[in-house]
Amino acid sequence: MASDTDPYIFSTDVLPEDLRFLPPLANGRLGWRVYHSIMHMGGVYNGEGGQCHRADVPCPLAVRVQSKEPFLDSYDLDTHTGVFTRTLTSDLVTVSQSLYAHRYHCNLMVMEVLLVRHKASQEPVTVDLDSAFTPQSKDIDFEAGPDYKVGRYIHGQTTTAEFTGGPCPSVHLIWTPVPPSLTLLPEQSKCRWGFIVAAADTSESAQASFDEALDLMATGDLRKSHEQAWEELWLQSKVEVSGSDSLCRALIGCMFYLLSAFPSIHDTSSTFGGVSPGGLSNGGDGQDYWGHVFWDQDIWMYPAVALFYPKLARAVLEYRVRTIDGAKDNAQKQGYKGLKFPWESAVSGREVCPEDIYGQQEIHINGDVSLAFQHYLYLTEDMSMFTEGCGSEVIWGVADYWVSRATWKEGDKRYHLLGVMPPDEYYYDIDDSVYTNAVAKFSLQFAVELASLLDFPAPDQWKEVGENLHIPFDEEFQYHPEFDGYKKGDTVKQADAVMLGYPLGLPMSAEVRRNDLEAYESVTDPLGPAMTWGMFAIGWLELGEPERAQVLLEKCFKNIQGPFQVWSESSDGSGAVNFLTGMGGFLQAVVFGFTGFRVLKDCLAFSPILPDGIGALCVRGVNYLGRQLDWLLRKDDVCIIMREQTSDTGMVQPCDLQVVMKKSGEKIPLVAGEPVTLPLEPGYICKVTSTSFCWPL
């Protein structure tokens, strides 16, 4: 998938005028937009309830290199390595300023400055370092501590807890001070300087991270260990296309920024604070949804990551498990049983949405969370997540909530969910949102299934409500109205009813699927959030109309701002920045749309299709039942290679797998290292011992 220009390097000679679209650097623990004076730490919020937001942490690396000499400027974000570099070139010297959030040691941010002389000279070369850093924050009461080795030190706590009586997070910051200038002496041909920031929740952790950085810097391994961690991530998975450079770069950018929002695959600290729509680099007071975690994480970002990285998928689920107490409190305050996950979540799981109506009515979040757990089980068969990992408490708590929230009506002998807000937030206080009811139905059915697997006595009401929950359907027009009382043709904000087909997988005929797509595509707000068109594209790909899907995917490119592939929520550049939700939807359109991947109970189904103009799609590292599969889709065939097993098999024992073709029923065992070439037809991957018949309906 190579081209003359490396698609993994985003380059420009001029920075975007809108500084919001400078590249964010993050590692799941720390997040920062380059040159900005503020960074954020995962799980560190300030403010109570609806005022809760990511706490501003001052960033000592908010430094710009300046020189009185004329220089040529260039900027590169190398997504191979997660390093942003500004290069200044003159006749005499090249100056490189490199910045990165350490991918392995997640408490570290690093700046390196390299001066390289082009020709011998008796004159020193000096560059100025213009810093915007001040060791203060409006959210954290910092006080200075004694210097630690070669570093400065401040520490403090946020001013206001997330809820009354709750803890105020602590922040400890140690950094190597940045001088006002750097000088390359006459006798030096080159010189490199390194500057470190260690941020943690205790002084001991900050000191240990700072010590580790100093040791690695002394051996020349600080940057190397960071780049090796990124290399390990990219070796596990890649999504690339040939035939469209812009699409290839967009996919790479989406994968890079999404992976940046997740912790290291080696992280065992259980400090991951979830993924917010704008990622860790954004989310301060009044900005980018305050850094809260929404359904965006579970429905939009999670699926593509879970397909490749089961450890990162589990980190998302463990975040939800840690918020169980808050979810229980939310349900009790609403007068219901079980768990009510917050529409907007921070650390505790208590509702922190600034406007009550969303937390009260946008209850589909419960089903969205449950669906993420369900897909994880189907992809991994990792039962430990549901036993000692307490995932079963999530699933059963959600089921209890639905049962207590549903209302029985004798007239149609169905259960109903009344007074809700659908994903389409243009409407509220409506009855029987079709998406909400469908996702509730599936989470109740999954609760019964999981209870059977764990020999847990499931209440009869779980099955009763799940089987009899009303799913709105218009018999005359043969489509799913968005809710009871929806008038066909009314404007909608975003993807809603079209998500019944994917990701929910509600059984329906091709005619109904088409009718749903056509009913909503023309009335969806063109300035709605970026993830919407990916769902429509997947629908048209399901129906075998790739060119129609391609038109919708091309709409997404309007949300990609500037040279660094940073997304905005809306196509006019407004809304949340570094909009990971949109990136997740776009990735799913390709990874699940072009391949036809569907994560089902007993198999991974596929139904590949490529639009004109796309020569090939390479999807490497699909992780299914402990095996990694590399896929190459071409116009006429599909090639699958199961990788040789490594010593680290992950959390489950790998299974022997086979391909089963739908049309012929042919079964082809997968042997590690041996490619299998198939016609461009539907099929599925399953265990060799599986006797189930597994198809998306």
Side-chain angles (χ1 to χ4, degrees):
M1 299 289 173
S3 64
D4 295 337
T5 303
D6 189 340
Y8 284 81
I9 300 177
F10 307 153
S11 302
T12 183
D13 295 333
V14 181
L15 292 177
E17 291 184 9
D18 189 336
L19 299 184
R20 297 178 304 149
F21 301 122
L22 287 172
L25 302 176
N27 58 20
R29 179 60 173 153
L30 303 176
W32 177 55
R33 190 174 71 243
V34 299
Y35 301 135
H36 192 37
S37 60
I38 297 300
M39 65 180 187
H40 298 113
M41 293 177 61
V44 178
Y45 292 86
N46 188 45
E48 183 174 354
Q51 300 300 313
C52 170
H53 58 274
R54 288 202 192 280
D56 287 354
V57 179
C59 183
L61 303 185
V63 174
R64 290 180 183 260
V65 177
Q66 308 286 0
S67 175
K68 298 180 178 64
E69 302 297 322
F71 279 89
L72 293 177
D73 248 334
S74 64
Y75 305 86
D76 299 286
L77 176 63
D78 187 342
T79 63
H80 289 294
T81 61
V83 176
F84 173 79
T85 301
R86 179 192 180 193
T87 304
L88 302 88
T89 305
S90 71
D91 292 338
L92 185 60
V93 68
T94 294
V95 184
S96 300
Q97 177 193 23
S98 297
L99 304 160
Y100 53 95
H102 204 286
R103 183 65 266 190
Y104 188 89
H105 300 286
C106 293
N107 292 104
L108 297 177
M109 302 280 288
V110 183
M111 177 176 76
E112 298 174 354
V113 180
L114 173 65
L115 271 63
V116 179
R117 194 187 297 275
H118 294 168
K119 52 188 176 183
S121 171
Q122 297 303 310
E123 297 295 325
V125 176
T126 298
V127 294
D128 297 326
L129 302 181
D130 184 8
S131 175
F133 168 68
T134 56
Q136 300 170 348
S137 167
K138 65 182 180 61
D139 294 313
I140 303 168
D141 285 332
F142 277 117
E143 59 181 80
D147 288 356
Y148 180 74
K149 297 185 177 178
V150 297
R152 302 284 189 266
Y153 171 51
I154 58 174
H155 59 94
Q157 287 183 295
T158 58
T159 61
T160 309
E162 182 185 327
F163 59 95
T164 301
C168 289
S170 296
V171 175
H172 295 258
L173 207 63
I174 304 174
W175 72 96
T176 47
V178 177
S181 64
L182 299 173
T183 299
L184 184 66
L185 300 176
E187 64 272 18
Q188 293 178 308
S189 61
K190 64 180 179 179
C191 189
R192 184 188 302 271
W193 293 263
F195 303 92
I196 308 161
V197 178
D201 56 358
T202 66
S203 60
E204 293 80 8
S205 180
Q207 289 173 5
S209 296
F210 194 75
D211 289 343
E212 183 73 28
L214 291 178
D215 291 344
L216 289 168
M217 187 177 285
T219 60
D221 291 326
L222 182 60
R223 182 160 171 171
K224 185 185 298 183
S225 59
H226 162 76
E227 293 182 347
Q228 286 174 342
W230 267 110
E231 182 182 15
E232 182 180 15
L233 279 175
W234 286 125
L235 284 173
Q236 285 201 35
S237 76
K238 283 187 178 180
V239 181
E240 300 172 336
V241 299
S242 64
S244 172
D245 290 343
S246 60
L247 176 57
C248 194
R249 290 167 66 82
L251 292 169
I252 291 166
C254 290
M255 282 293 290
F256 172 75
Y257 289 124
L258 274 174
L259 288 174
S260 296
F262 283 81
S264 165
I265 55 177
H266 302 288
D267 182 21
T268 58
S269 65
S270 298
T271 58
F272 178 55
V275 187
S276 58
L280 263 174
S281 56
N282 300 305
D285 191 6
Q287 302 171 349
D288 303 301
Y289 298 108
W290 289 263
H292 297 163
V293 178
F294 293 71
W295 75 314
D296 305 46
Q297 170 189 259
D298 311 88
I299 289 293
W300 298 100
M301 307 171 201
Y302 172 88
V305 172
L307 191 66
F308 300 110
Y309 301 96
K311 290 182 179 178
L312 300 185
R314 181 160 175 154
V316 168
L317 308 187
E318 289 171 343
Y319 164 75
R320 289 299 188 184
V321 167
R322 289 193 293 273
T323 66
I324 282 177
D325 288 344
K328 189 178 299 182
D329 184 68
N330 297 333
Q332 290 172 352
K333 286 179 177 176
Q334 290 188 0
Y336 301 114
K337 298 178 181 179
L339 304 177
K340 164 58 177 68
F341 284 95
W343 178 241
E344 298 189 27
S345 179
V347 175
S348 73
R350 289 166 174 81
E351 185 61 67
V352 292
C353 182
E355 298 181 58
D356 288 342
I357 190 170
Y358 297 95
Q360 291 290 329
Q361 294 195 9
E362 205 148 358
I363 60 175
H364 64 81
I365 179 66
N366 263 17
D368 304 327
V369 170
S370 177
L371 187 63
F373 279 81
Q374 182 177 351
H375 279 185
Y376 178 79
L377 179 61
Y378 292 173
L379 281 168
T380 68
E381 293 191 351
D382 175 19
M383 292 302 299
S384 71
M385 180 66 238
F386 297 87
T387 51
E388 55 261 37
C390 299
S392 60
E393 293 183 36
V394 170
I395 303 308
W396 297 335
V398 166
D400 286 339
Y401 178 83
W402 290 129
V403 167
S404 66
R405 183 66 167 77
T407 298
W408 173 259
K409 289 187 177 181
E410 278 294 331
D412 61 358
K413 298 194 179 301
R414 287 285 184 267
Y415 288 95
H416 301 261
L417 294 172
L418 309 178
V420 305
M421 179 184 290
D424 173 10
E425 294 168 329
Y426 285 174
Y427 303 92
Y428 57 91
D429 203 23
I430 55 91
D431 296 338
D432 291 320
S433 152
V434 70
Y435 176 89
T436 304
N437 288 22
V439 81
K441 178 185 184 74
F442 292 141
S443 54
L444 283 162
Q445 292 174 343
F446 179 57
V448 173
E449 177 189 332
L450 183 65
S452 176
L453 290 172
L454 296 178
D455 294 323
F456 178 80
D460 292 339
Q461 282 184 298
W462 290 0
K463 183 178 181 181
E464 162 71 14
V465 176
E467 288 182 349
N468 294 287
L469 197 56
H470 173 57
I471 305 296
F473 185 73
D474 188 309
E475 293 288 350
E476 179 184 358
F477 293 106
Q478 289 291 297
Y479 89 114
H480 292 94
E482 200 172 82
F483 51 86
D484 275 357
Y486 173 79
K487 295 180 180 178
K488 194 168 185 284
D490 283 355
T491 300
V492 301
K493 175 186 177 183
Q494 63 181 66
D496 185 313
V498 297
M499 297 173 69
L500 297 176
Y502 175 90
L504 298 192
L506 183 73
M508 68 182 78
S509 67
E511 176 194 4
V512 171
R513 183 73 161 123
R514 176 181 297 277
N515 291 343
D516 283 352
L517 292 167
E518 291 183 337
Y520 294 107
E521 184 179 322
S522 61
V523 298
T524 298
D525 189 337
L527 291 180
M531 66 280 193
T532 287
W533 301 117
M535 294 301 103
F536 280 98
I538 289 176
W540 290 117
L541 289 164
E542 279 183 7
L543 296 174
E545 298 194 30
E547 308 318 317
R548 197 158 179 177
Q550 188 75 345
V551 170
L552 296 170
L553 275 181
E554 287 172 359
K555 289 188 177 186
C556 299
F557 284 91
K558 296 179 181 178
N559 296 79
I560 302 175
Q561 308 295 338
F564 302 113
Q565 302 289 310
V566 176
W567 281 56
S568 61
E569 182 175 10
S570 298
S571 58
D572 62 359
S574 63
V577 175
N578 189 35
F579 192 51
L580 298 177
T581 312
M583 298 186 205
F586 187 78
L587 263 180
Q588 288 186 64
V590 174
V591 173
F592 290 86
F594 290 2
T595 64
F597 287 154
R598 297 294 182 270
V599 179
L600 304 175
K601 181 178 178 180
D602 294 307
C603 70
L604 177 65
F606 60 89
S607 183
I609 187 170
L610 288 179
D612 289 342
I614 304 300
L617 168 66
C618 183
V619 181
R620 300 177 185 171
V622 172
N623 205 307
Y624 183 61
L625 301 184
R627 299 287 189 179
Q628 285 187 291
L629 307 173
D630 295 337
W631 297 68
L632 179 63
L633 277 63
R634 294 171 291 217
K635 285 298 181 183
D636 299 316
D637 59 24
V638 179
C639 180
I640 307 171
I641 301 178
M642 187 168 73
R643 296 186 186 180
E644 299 282 354
Q645 198 62 42
T646 62
S647 57
D648 179 14
T649 58
M651 293 160 287
V652 295
Q653 185 64 31
C655 298
D656 293 331
L657 300 178
Q658 63 183 349
V659 181
V660 182
M661 300 305 295
K662 180 179 180 180
K663 186 176 181 179
S664 65
E666 181 183 7
K667 298 179 179 180
I668 308 165
L670 291 173
V671 179
E674 295 187 9
V676 172
T677 301
L678 310 167
L680 208 67
E681 296 176 3
Y684 63 89
I685 307 290
C686 67
K687 295 180 185 178
V688 169
T689 55
S690 176
T691 58
S692 60
F693 188 66
C694 174
W695 298 114
L697 297 174

